[in-house]
Amino acid sequence: MIKLKQYWQALQKIRLTKDEKKAMYQNIAFVMAKNPISNEPEKRSFFGRLFFVKRPFAFATLIIFLVAFSGGSISYAATDAQPGDLLYPVKVNMNEEVVSALQFTPKGKSNWEMERVRRRLQEVEKLAEEGKLTPELEAKITQRLETHANKVQQFITKFELDGDLSHAENTTTNLKNVFDQHQVILEKLAENGGPIGHPKKPPLDEVLKIIKENGEKLPPLPFKKDMQKDDTTLSNPPQSSENTVGAENQETTLSEKPQNAQEFAQNHLVGFGQKVQILNDFVAANEDKDPAQIEKLKSTLSDFSDLYTKAQEKVAAGEYAVAMGLFQQAQASFKDAKVIMQEVAPLP
Amino acid sequence: MTPKEQFIEAYNSYSDALFRYCYFRVFDREQAKELVQEVYIRAWGYVVRGDNIPYMKALLYKIASNITIDYIKKKKSLSLEALEEGGFTPSVNEKETMNNAITVQSILKVMDQLPKKYRDVIVFKYVDGFSVKEIAKMVSQKENVVSIWIHRGLKQLRQLLGHD
């Protein structure tokens, strides 16, 4: 008769193989790289801390109760309050928090946070136009703006993790549009200054910086439907040994999954080829423009062509990880080249 | 240790055990792998959100429990017999001997007949090597309740195996 101990030993043999564990980690690491931990700890409002935001229903009920008994007059009066006004804290910490607590779905919450981003930007613009924006007010609004923008980004991550890619994509697009629209207005205000006769230019550097930083943090569009296909590009396996993940280099892992990696590398190669073509055409069409800039572009094109040839060789040899490294280098230099191209002649 | 390092540590420490946990419920190796991956991706979502996670292991098992239940609800027809007919392969290591494969298959069949709560705690205790205290946290029960479940589960298992 087999003893129970032998059964346990047999069951313990059911485990992930070393390769499976590593491949799975690659997929998880891709998601981790795409959705990094924010360095900023989440800041809770005074009311949020007081009433434990984790219990939004209780919080909302209490606020509604208070507002109802105070006749709602303060709350109503605060609706149009601007930063610096006495009732502005009521507007952002009470009115807006109530609306926030009454959003019961992640989609509703993300839309509301988006609206708050828009409101903060409109407030900055209004104050700048009226010449009332001080560095202190800018800092306060910027802080709130960043909090709301971070929340929207967190919802994008959530939608993505939940597989709701269409909503993740819509939210990303909307946030990007909000940033783009207001960036144009704010840049004009920063350049032209406030009202006529107001000597000082409004302090808008911080707001513009936040817009730029948050815009850069947004995930690239469109979202990939199948994350496993490009699971290897951003992975960052830990250093460990034996049956833990990350014991081998990326190249080994990629060669163990030839179909995905090959397809992925070949897709990149096509894109790479297109970029070489774009650069080539641009240089040919703008040879008469700024010689120094054109010279820089020619140099980039030469490096780029070398990288392309190398990447082609590596893909043909099945060394996809090395090819991926070359693609990343090429991507970085193309980004620089695009800046120069914009300076030489506006891109279509 | 940063949250990211803790998370990676949790992957190295618990992925095999979580795989077994899922595997004993879905009896499909590929599906179990998918589920484990999903567990870690969801857990990472919590880490990113900055949620307070005092006990990562408990969170991982909670997520694993939820997603396997969801999966099983979707695939109601799942049973060991059906899987066997469709080419069920309980062996993990391809080099595993036939004897081992038969042992694993037979124990899985018997385990499948145990009530879920007994099967869970027995696997945690004897296969994954968790202490009663740890299991209690993972299944959100008191330690003495877990001990009783283990005792009763073993008793039933012996009966099913004819070890009385």
Side-chain angles (χ1 to χ4, degrees):
Chain A
M1 187 188 291
I2 302 171
K3 287 182 179 174
L4 277 179
K5 199 176 173 186
Q6 289 171 284
Y7 281 127
W8 307 143
Q9 283 169 351
L11 290 183
Q12 277 164 355
K13 287 183 180 159
I14 296 177
R15 51 169 46 223
L16 292 164
T17 63
K18 199 173 162 186
D19 293 343
E20 284 172 337
K21 203 168 179 177
K22 202 163 59 181
M24 191 188 290
Y25 180 77
Q26 297 280 343
N27 295 339
I28 296 165
F30 174 80
V31 176
M32 288 165 70
K34 248 188 139 185
N35 307 290
I37 301 170
S38 168
N39 292 329
E40 279 287 305
E42 198 180 345
K43 291 185 181 84
R44 297 207 188 286
S45 64
F46 170 73
F47 286 97
R49 283 197 299 274
L50 194 62
F51 296 112
F52 308 108
V53 168
K54 291 202 173 198
R55 294 158 64 193
F57 291 98
F59 173 64
T61 313
L62 185 64
I63 294 297
I64 290 165
F65 188 77
L66 285 173
V67 169
F69 274 84
S70 67
S73 52
I74 296 172
S75 169
Y76 180 75
T79 313
D80 294 325
Q82 289 295 310
D85 291 352
L86 194 65
L87 289 177
Y88 185 71
V90 178
K91 177 185 171 181
V92 289
N93 288 331
M94 218 165 112
N95 293 6
E96 290 190 1
E97 288 297 330
V98 170
V99 178
S100 191
L102 290 171
Q103 304 301 320
F104 300 119
T105 62
K107 287 176 189 175
K109 283 179 194 294
S110 79
N111 288 340
W112 174 237
E113 288 305 324
M114 183 94 71
E115 172 59 27
R116 292 176 95 179
V117 168
R118 200 177 283 119
R119 284 186 181 191
R120 295 299 87 83
L121 289 168
Q122 284 168 346
E123 284 164 4
V124 175
E125 284 161 13
K126 196 170 178 194
L127 289 175
E129 279 169 9
E130 291 170 357
K132 292 178 186 170
L133 188 66
T134 61
E136 292 75 29
L137 280 178
E138 190 211 12
K140 280 182 186 170
I141 303 170
T142 305
Q143 199 181 2
R144 287 186 186 281
L145 173 68
E146 196 170 15
T147 307
H148 301 317
N150 278 340
K151 281 187 184 169
V152 179
Q153 303 240 20
Q154 282 168 12
F155 280 114
I156 293 171
T157 306
K158 182 182 164 35
F159 296 142
E160 206 180 343
L161 290 175
D162 292 347
D164 189 354
L165 294 187
S166 68
H167 208 82
E169 203 166 300
N170 285 344
T171 312
T172 309
T173 311
N174 290 344
L175 186 59
K176 194 174 179 308
N177 288 342
V178 169
F179 282 149
D180 288 349
Q181 287 164 10
H182 288 276
Q183 189 174 0
V184 174
I185 300 169
L186 289 166
E187 277 173 350
K188 273 189 185 166
L189 282 168
E191 200 181 325
N192 302 331
I196 299 163
H198 208 275
K200 272 189 179 178
K201 287 189 175 180
L204 290 165
D205 292 350
E206 280 303 307
V207 183
L208 284 165
K209 192 179 149 200
I210 293 298
I211 290 178
K212 203 178 165 205
E213 280 175 4
N214 278 277
E216 282 169 359
K217 271 199 273 177
L218 286 171
L221 293 168
F223 281 76
K224 297 267 164 71
K225 299 280 181 225
D226 183 3
M227 285 190 296
Q228 294 198 15
K229 284 199 170 174
D230 52 2
D231 56 5
T232 47
T233 47
L234 294 167
S235 57
N236 180 24
Q239 294 302 311
S240 53
S241 59
E242 260 319 290
N243 200 24
T244 56
V245 291
E248 276 76 30
N249 63 29
Q250 210 178 33
E251 194 179 344
T252 321
T253 314
L254 280 161
S255 58
E256 281 160 1
K257 298 173 75 190
Q259 229 172 354
N260 280 351
Q262 188 179 4
E263 196 183 320
F264 187 57
Q266 277 169 350
N267 287 342
H268 267 71
L269 199 58
V270 174
F272 198 164
Q274 287 168 348
K275 287 188 177 95
V276 173
Q277 194 59 47
I278 292 169
L279 259 178
N280 213 356
D281 293 348
F282 185 88
V283 171
N286 295 283
E287 287 242 67
D288 55 331
K289 301 271 169 64
D290 186 345
Q293 300 285 50
I294 292 297
E295 204 48 50
K296 272 187 201 169
L297 281 177
K298 276 184 180 170
S299 162
T300 308
L301 181 61
S302 165
D303 295 344
F304 216 70
S305 302
D306 289 347
L307 283 171
Y308 181 59
T309 314
K310 275 186 201 166
Q312 263 183 325
E313 286 166 8
K314 295 297 172 190
V315 172
E319 294 176 35
Y320 306 119
V322 182
M324 291 311 301
L326 296 171
F327 293 144
Q328 278 172 2
Q329 274 183 48
Q331 185 62 35
S333 66
F334 189 71
K335 220 174 169 182
D336 296 340
K338 263 174 89 176
V339 176
I340 304 174
M341 286 156 84
Q342 282 284 18
E343 285 169 11
V344 174
L347 292 174
Chain B
M1 208 187 261
T2 64
K4 187 180 176 183
E5 285 166 348
Q6 281 173 0
F7 184 80
I8 292 168
E9 177 69 27
Y11 179 77
N12 284 327
S13 304
Y14 310 127
S15 53
D16 280 328
L18 280 166
F19 172 70
R20 275 192 290 272
Y21 180 91
C22 297
Y23 184 69
F24 292 154
R25 279 156 188 78
V26 300
F27 299 107
D28 179 321
R29 185 170 183 78
E30 288 307 310
Q31 192 53 50
K33 275 162 53 183
E34 294 270 317
L35 291 172
V36 175
Q37 187 171 305
E38 181 66 21
V39 168
Y40 279 99
I41 288 173
R42 285 201 194 179
W44 178 249
Y46 289 107
V47 176
V48 170
R49 227 165 51 192
D51 286 5
N52 181 27
I53 306 171
Y55 198 59
M56 177 60 89
K57 198 195 288 181
L59 173 73
L60 292 170
Y61 277 94
K62 187 75 200 163
I63 300 172
S65 170
N66 290 342
I67 63 172
T68 47
I69 288 169
D70 287 348
Y71 173 79
I72 291 164
K73 273 183 192 165
K74 279 180 198 163
K75 297 241 170 191
K76 276 183 184 167
S77 60
L78 204 73
S79 73
L80 257 183
E81 283 71 22
L83 284 162
E84 277 177 324
E85 281 163 21
F88 171 50
T89 49
S91 166
V92 181
N93 189 339
E94 283 170 11
K95 290 172 191 163
E96 203 173 31
T97 63
M98 186 59 80
N99 275 346
N100 262 340
I102 292 165
T103 311
V104 170
Q105 195 164 355
S106 55
I107 186 85
L108 284 176
K109 260 186 179 178
V110 175
M111 294 284 281
D112 196 38
Q113 293 174 49
L114 284 179
K116 184 186 166 293
K117 59 184 181 184
Y118 294 166
R119 187 177 54 197
D120 282 357
V121 292
I122 285 177
V123 171
F124 285 150
K125 171 89 178 137
Y126 296 103
V127 183
D128 297 329
F130 293 128
S131 68
V132 171
K133 196 176 173 182
E134 285 177 310
I135 300 169
K137 274 187 188 172
M138 283 149 65
V139 297
S140 308
Q141 288 291 344
K142 287 180 181 169
E143 287 176 40
N144 57 348
V145 174
V146 170
S147 298
I148 292 167
W149 285 1
I150 291 171
H151 176 73
R152 287 181 187 165
L154 281 178
K155 199 176 165 188
Q156 278 196 27
L157 189 62
R158 285 200 183 93
Q159 280 171 355
L160 290 165
L161 291 166
H163 284 197
D164 279 341

